[in-house]
Amino acid sequence: MTLRMDIDALQALCAIEDQGGITRAADHLALSQSAVSHKIKRLEDKLGRTLLTRRPGAPTFSEDGRALLTYARRILALHDEAVLHLTNSPLTGHLRLGMTEDTTSGGLSRILARFARLHPDVSVRTHVSQSLSLMADLEQGEIDLAIMQIFAHETRPGDIVLFHDHLHWVASPDLPLPDDRPLPFLAFDDNCFYKHWAMTLGQAGGRDFRTVLQCASNAGIVSAVEAGLGIALLNARHITPRMTIIDPQIGAPPPDIAYVVRIARKSRSAPARALAEEIQTEARGQNVLQAV
């Protein structure tokens, strides 16, 4: 007989990781702890594999459990996509979407592709720009939705926070940092809020900066730092082994940042709200900006 895995058991398995344990997973699924444990035990019996370690201090998942999680998420995504396709009323209209460069790859690309398959009658116009430009576009009603970076302390109640990251001053280990002259600074462009902070509060420590390169591309800034052309502000996910964090040598510690989804206050776009809800659902318990 062909082995079949229950969707409910796979959902329970993913909830255990997303919520951080069986007890929290049970609360999230509105089930008893014993019911969740029973679902996983039945799945283990069917597969003949141990999925949870159940040892104090040990990782929650066994090697087999970790492997199944990857498949479970793909199976559940297709399951949910099929349900949405067959039960939702057709969504039509226009969606004007703004994104920063570093949000255009990874899990968000997968979400956007799935949204396009589910809603073929939605016309999507996307453009890539810096966060400050996207904020202005949102305020002026030029776009309905933006996926962007902001300083963590500037998040709004309506923002969907995808994840937080640390901002650091970085340089090549070979770059000298003399005290008696301005430091060469690598900036994204005039609409980069990293640059605005660097040129105001960032200089509070008494160091002067001289902009030697403006480049809108994250890859260009990373390459310039690695080559020793100057110092830059980069978030942790873009720091490479060929860079050194030099926060103590600059002065004012950079603030943390947040990746958020923000809907324009005056937007009446149903597709924008639907996409925001899709991203929010996918973001629970995982970083949707990671490559998949």
Side-chain angles (χ1 to χ4, degrees), residues 12-25:
L13 191 73
C14 292
I16 290 170
E17 183 189 42
D18 294 344
Q19 304 303 318
I22 293 177
T23 302
R24 292 181 179 178

Side-chain angles (χ1 to χ4, degrees), residues 117-130:
R117 293 195 302 271
L118 285 171
H119 308 292
D121 294 327
V122 174
S123 173
V124 181
R125 177 174 64 85
T126 305
H127 81 274
V128 177
S129 189
Q130 297 283 11

